[in-house]
Amino acid sequence: MPGDFTVLIMAAGHGTRMRSDLPKVLHPVCGKAMVEWVIDAARQAGAGDVICITRPGDGVAEGLPDSVTVAEQREGEGTGAAVLAAREAAPAEGAVLVLSGDHPLLSAELIGQVVDTHGREGAAATLLATEELDPAGYGRIMRAPDGSVERIVETKYTEGLGTEELATREVNLGTYAFEASDLWSALDEVSEERDEVYLTGVFPILRERGGRVVSHLTTDVSSAMGVNTRADLMEVDRLAVRRLLDDHAREGVTVLGPDSTRIEAGVTVGADTTIWPGVTLRGETSIGKGCEIGPQSTITDSTLSDGVKAVHSFLTEATVEPGASLGPFAYLRPGAHIGEGAKIGTFVEVKNSNIGAGTKVPHLSYLGDADVGANSNIGAGNITANYDGRRKHRTTIGDGVKTGVDTSFVAPVSVGDGAYTGAGSVIAEDVPDGALGIARPEQENVEGYAERKEQPPG
Ligand code: UD1
Ligand code: CA
């Protein structure tokens, strides 16, 4: 029945165990909010309508894609109250899948398997289960003598259980398939426990009515885990990072240090790119083909074209054209645009500047609010003095320029094509094409100085 099912995502819990001001389902896992992972998996599995249950004013609804319907849980506590809040928005009949917003690793494959099992077994309800996790923190599945699911016992209620029941390793993973009409009528009858309405309370009711509740058992631990605590979040994040690295590897990316590398959700990397250890790629970053990234680079919201090298570099909102090389120890800040084949070397910082094709800035420089042409060479230790204390001004440097070491450019100022600057110059006036701009005090040598200094006094 792919495409025939409506998905409800429960995302209105308080997440108290996270000890956070941020709602639990908005905590990012490998750069993407937990609830978005679940929405994406549902879409990939072929969901029809996706309805997300949120709390009014918690900020979850605001970040959701437009394609998702929002149902507000205004009253009541617990997963049953959450699902009830979606009743108006959901269909009265047909297949309904209920997912938990705190199971970000849930895969489209597993959703598909639950849907298939549900259809094949003709069950009143089907839930996803595993025996591979520590049962503490989940609801344990208690089975009737006929092997069907009888009820779910939450960890906090296990005091009353016998040793055999306590030995149960099979737990509920918070993914359920229902026939909508059965779900709604059963939920009406679930009574409150400790001021909460539990969705799992529908199972005994469905059984009493002669329905069968079955579980779909999975061994896929990397898709099973839920998040209640920050410790869970750490573990789930680790698994998500690995899953994404595996996806990139399948697409032709070499990852040499998977345990120290993080490529967050949404980042694209071209084939034949090598990622060395200690690399983090985040946000809206795209890396071209045949690049060498790292070791030790952090790249956020940046676009790198094919064949770029970035060693020990830190980039935010930068654009780098093909074949350019960065680092070691380059710092590209927002608006840095590095031309084809250009080189930004060691301890060089570039902000809001265009560096032309083939231009080299090899050592110890700061270029801010600058436009540098093609094939120029910026000497070591060049600085743009772009800020006069009130406003920022631009520095323009032409094509084929060679600046001496330790040149300062007091913006606004421009240096023409093919011009030179003398080492140690403070360039505060424009330098015409082909000229040498030199602005430093002339050297004076004090003859015999050392000898006089070494004379004993008197
Ligand atoms: C729930 C299940 C448990 C299962 C586990 C899987 C119940 C009673 N228990 O327990 O059997 O093993 O999930 O992870 O269902 N939520 C709301 N509104 C609420 C309360 C919760 O939308 O009022 C949402 C939460 O945001 C979360 C999900 O429902 O995404 C599960 O809630 P949580 O409190 O984490 O349930 P568990 O105690 O983990
Ligand atoms: Ca949970």
Side-chain angles (χ1 to χ4, degrees), residues 9-17 24-25 53-55 73 75-83 99-103 127-128 135 137-140 152-157 171-176 196-201 203 224-228:
I9 300 176
M10 301 181 289
H14 299 297
T16 325
R17 290 166 280 185
K24 177 166 73 175
V25 298
I53 302 146
T54 68
R55 245 350 128 153
Q73 186 183 346
E75 53 188 18
E77 294 299 332
T79 46
V83 171
L99 309 181
S100 301
D102 62 351
H103 278 256
L127 58 134
L128 182 63
Y138 296 92
R140 287 177 171 78
I152 308 293
V153 179
E154 298 302 316
T155 298
K156 57 187 168 189
Y157 295 113
V171 297
N172 167 25
L173 295 176
T175 295
Y176 317 87
E196 287 190 44
V197 177
Y198 291 158
L199 176 59
T200 47
F203 299 135
M225 232 190 124
V227 175
N228 290 327

Side-chain angles (χ1 to χ4, degrees), residues 19 57 69 71 116 122 173 198 220 233 240 246 251 284 298 322 328 345 362 376 381 458:
R19 297 183 181 275
T69 305
D116 287 349
L173 295 176
Y198 291 158
D220 179 4
L233 182 63
D246 288 342
E251 298 297 319
E284 310 232 318
T298 299
S376 288

Side-chain angles (χ1 to χ4, degrees), residues 39 43 48-51 64-69:
I39 292 167
R43 289 272 177 237
D49 281 349
V50 174
I51 302 169
L64 297 175
D66 292 341
S67 58
V68 171
T69 305

